[in-house]
Amino acid sequence: MKPAASHHDLAATLQAGVQALGLSLSSAQQQSLLDFLDLLQKWNKVYNLTAVRNPQEMLTHHLLDSLAAVPALQRHLATQPGAARLLDVGCGGGLPGVVFAICCPQLTVHCVDTVAKKAAFIQQAAASLHLPNLTGIHARVESLTGPYAVVSSRAFAALADFTAWSRSAIAADGVWLAMKGKQPDDEIAALDAQIAQVFHVEPLTVPGLDAQRCIVWLRPVRAA
């Protein structure tokens, strides 16, 4: 059994990962990410937010995995005038929503989940980490109307379901950001052509994780 990683080890791994991803995060932001990891560990003992228990694995499989999408999100936000709103669907333990809120303070992040305890965890994270731009919502995504400039998910559902369920929440000129493992060609082929269309599949490299990852970017199809 591996000994538990020390705080210093976790901080060093996180910093190396941030540098490998080319992210510009302040020491305060990196500390917030570590504090979030600590919060996730504590709540996980009671609420079973994630099957991953080891802090080092949590850092790689959850934090760094979510951070890998941040450069792409930041590039997209740079093209958007004004303040943007993001909806993270099926947020579970706040991944990637809480990570996005920490790394993109200009972004308003709403995390929706049908499980009350998971939405409550997001609210607790917002309070504990002093993130005024983060809100947890206990609801079905189909009931939300937005409009959101970005609707994100991470290993949440098939693309056809994800886009159909969140169609009423996305802005007419918004985008879906779906984090996936390997490129989901079958899911892309099964999309409803009247709801969403893929405009880019972006490969991701997660520091310390030897696994395929990508973002499937989609746009809503406007009614004729």
Side-chain angles (χ1 to χ4, degrees), residues 75-149:
R75 284 194 300 272
H76 175 73
L77 294 175
T79 69
Q80 304 298 301
R85 300 169 77 227
L86 178 144
L87 177 67
D88 189 34
V89 181
C91 60
L95 300 149
V98 175
V99 174
F100 288 170
I102 292 170
C103 297
C104 307
Q106 79 280 19
L107 186 66
T108 297
V109 178
H110 291 171
C111 294
V112 62
D113 205 287
T114 56
V115 179
K117 64 187 179 184
K118 292 180 178 178
F121 171 70
I122 301 301
Q123 289 293 84
Q124 182 61 46
S128 298
L129 304 174
H130 308 291
L131 296 171
N133 62 327
L134 175 66
T135 303
I137 301 173
H138 175 221
R140 296 186 67 84
V141 65
E142 300 95 315
S143 69
L144 304 182
T145 55
Y148 291 92

Side-chain angles (χ1 to χ4, degrees), residues 10-218:
L10 294 173
T13 301
L14 175 61
Q15 185 172 28
V18 166
Q19 290 174 346
L21 292 167
L23 282 167
S24 296
L25 297 182
S26 68
S27 57
Q29 284 173 307
Q30 293 189 48
Q31 185 58 53
S32 288
L33 288 168
L34 292 171
D35 290 344
F36 169 55
L37 185 68
D38 188 49
L39 199 64
L40 189 58
Q41 282 178 254
K42 289 177 180 176
W43 275 61
N44 204 38
K45 293 173 183 175
V46 179
Y47 289 104
N48 194 29
L49 299 169
T50 168
V52 179
R53 302 286 176 177
N54 180 281
Q56 190 71 47
E57 289 184 6
M58 272 190 177
L59 178 59
T60 304
H61 290 70
H62 288 329
L63 271 195
L64 291 178
D65 192 66
S66 296
L67 279 169
V70 171
L73 174 62
Q74 290 178 334
R75 284 194 300 272
H76 175 73
L77 294 175
T79 69
Q80 304 298 301
R85 300 169 77 227
L86 178 144
L87 177 67
D88 189 34
V89 181
C91 60
L95 300 149
V98 175
V99 174
F100 288 170
I102 292 170
C103 297
C104 307
Q106 79 280 19
L107 186 66
T108 297
V109 178
H110 291 171
C111 294
V112 62
D113 205 287
T114 56
V115 179
K117 64 187 179 184
K118 292 180 178 178
F121 171 70
I122 301 301
Q123 289 293 84
Q124 182 61 46
S128 298
L129 304 174
H130 308 291
L131 296 171
N133 62 327
L134 175 66
T135 303
I137 301 173
H138 175 221
R140 296 186 67 84
V141 65
E142 300 95 315
S143 69
L144 304 182
T145 55
Y148 291 92
V150 181
V151 178
S152 66
S153 70
R154 175 177 176 263
F156 165 63
L159 292 174
D161 291 333
F162 169 50
T163 52
W165 295 339
S166 59
R167 180 67 183 86
S168 63
I170 197 167
D173 59 349
V175 297
W176 281 288
L177 184 169
M179 296 180 67
K180 293 287 183 176
K182 66 178 183 178
Q183 183 167 317
D185 293 324
D186 291 347
E187 291 184 30
I188 292 171
L191 280 167
D192 186 334
Q194 295 184 319
I195 293 179
Q197 61 183 16
V198 174
F199 66 90
H200 183 42
V201 178
E202 184 169 352
L204 298 178
T205 300
V206 180
L209 191 61
D210 184 20
Q212 288 182 291
R213 294 287 188 270
C214 70
I215 294 174
V216 181
W217 292 95
L218 308 98

